[in-house]
Amino acid sequence: AQKVTQAQTEISVVEKEDVTLDCVYETRDTTYYLFWYKQPPSGELVFLIRRNSFDEQNEISGRYSWNFQKSTSSFNFTITASQVVDSAVYFCALSEGYNNNDMRFGAGTRLTVKP
Amino acid sequence: KAGVTQTPRYLIKTRGQQVTLSCSPISGHRSVSWYQQTPGQGLQFLFEYFSETQRNKGNFPGRFSGRQFSNSRSEMNVSTLELGDSALYLCASRDGGLPPSGANVLTFGAGSRLTVL
């Protein structure tokens, strides 16, 4: 069965600090996709990144970077030089197979960036 | 391109009533999924519709149902409301077709927040 664990319930940092959000997943499938979504107070989940199980390359997008390690079943998300606008709840999610919309979400990590 | 639109955004019902929520997907997207978000259970998958057919279903009682129309718009219905049905209901759409079309990247709407009294 698929499962996603985000052990950090809440994180609070001061602006310009770097912060890493942890995500550990469980799956028996060899083909799966991992995602990160951001949920600001407005409620809408905003897609940040998708990785498939065959691509362990780390990715950087501006201040955001992702570290995917199959050996430890982790898909961690780092925000460099955090800003107040980064304050939100961040969800890691797992989808098994290619066309499966039954995404399992972690419990989310609430990030608060203080000025 | 317009995003995923959900209506109504907020609603209040009483126990025993029923409710219908609507979702208009991104133009061209044929797959619509529904999720329930509560503080206790987090985000849980309800069901997915593709080309007017339910393609996948989560572990929810039969009181939760949905449908999809020929224009890909979708509705979900909850009958005999219970206090525990109070939640944010999120709709998400994607192309849903075969590779390589944007595989399973869901675009979410802002949600319908249901309060059951």
Side-chain angles (χ1 to χ4, degrees):
Chain A
Q2 58 194 67
K3 183 180 176 182
V4 176
T5 301
Q6 293 179 256
Q8 305 149 308
T9 306
E10 292 191 38
I11 299 176
S12 181
V13 299
V14 176
E15 213 170 15
K16 297 184 182 175
E17 283 186 28
D18 298 346
V19 59
T20 295
L21 310 181
D22 298 333
C23 173
V24 174
Y25 64 92
E26 293 177 31
T27 179
R28 292 178 184 163
D29 272 19
T30 55
T31 301
Y32 55 89
Y33 290 81
L34 294 163
F35 304 80
W36 276 95
Y37 280 86
K38 173 182 179 180
Q39 187 176 41
S42 60
E44 184 174 341
L45 282 164
V46 178
F47 168 75
L48 295 177
I49 190 172
R50 177 196 68 182
R51 303 302 280 176
N52 72 54
S53 50
F54 302 108
D55 181 4
E56 280 191 80
Q57 240 183 347
N58 292 329
E59 183 156 337
I60 298 175
S61 176
R63 297 183 297 105
Y64 295 172
S65 62
W66 292 269
N67 183 286
F68 176 25
Q69 291 195 336
K70 287 177 76 170
S71 60
T72 56
S73 297
S74 65
F75 185 43
N76 297 337
F77 172 30
T78 297
I79 301 175
T80 303
S82 59
Q83 299 176 0
V84 173
V85 293
D86 295 327
S87 296
V89 181
Y90 291 86
F91 291 93
C92 179
L94 166 70
S95 174
E96 293 175 335
Y98 182 84
N99 225 10
N100 183 4
N101 240 12
D102 182 3
M103 291 174 65
R104 297 302 169 93
F105 284 83
T109 297
R110 180 177 298 277
L111 173 65
T112 301
V113 182
K114 299 176 182 176
Chain B
K1 218 176 192 181
V4 177
T5 303
Q6 291 188 244
T7 57
R9 289 293 314 279
Y10 303 91
L11 66 167
I12 300 174
K13 294 284 187 179
T14 57
R15 278 182 298 175
Q17 287 186 312
Q18 74 164 14
V19 65
T20 299
L21 309 177
S22 179
C23 172
S24 293
I26 288 174
S27 177
H29 283 189
R30 293 169 290 170
S31 166
V32 174
S33 297
W34 290 88
Y35 285 79
Q36 181 197 65
Q37 185 177 22
T38 61
Q41 299 298 317
L43 277 155
Q44 296 186 91
F45 172 73
L46 280 157
F47 28 65
E48 180 204 2
Y49 287 85
F50 179 80
S51 293
E52 302 179 64
T53 301
Q54 189 180 86
R55 187 155 70 173
N56 203 354
K57 187 178 189 304
N59 189 25
F60 277 81
R63 300 185 297 107
F64 292 82
S65 63
R67 59 178 175 168
Q68 187 180 35
F69 302 95
S70 58
N71 61 358
S72 293
R73 190 177 70 84
S74 176
E75 289 181 348
M76 70 161 281
N77 183 277
V78 187
S79 62
T80 319
L81 284 167
E82 301 176 359
L83 295 179
D85 297 333
S86 295
L88 179 66
Y89 290 89
L90 291 161
C91 169
S93 76
R94 64 185 178 115
D95 178 275
L98 295 174
S101 62
N104 61 12
V105 174
L106 296 175
T107 301
F108 284 83
S112 293
R113 185 167 295 282
L114 170 66
T115 300
V116 182
L117 302 176

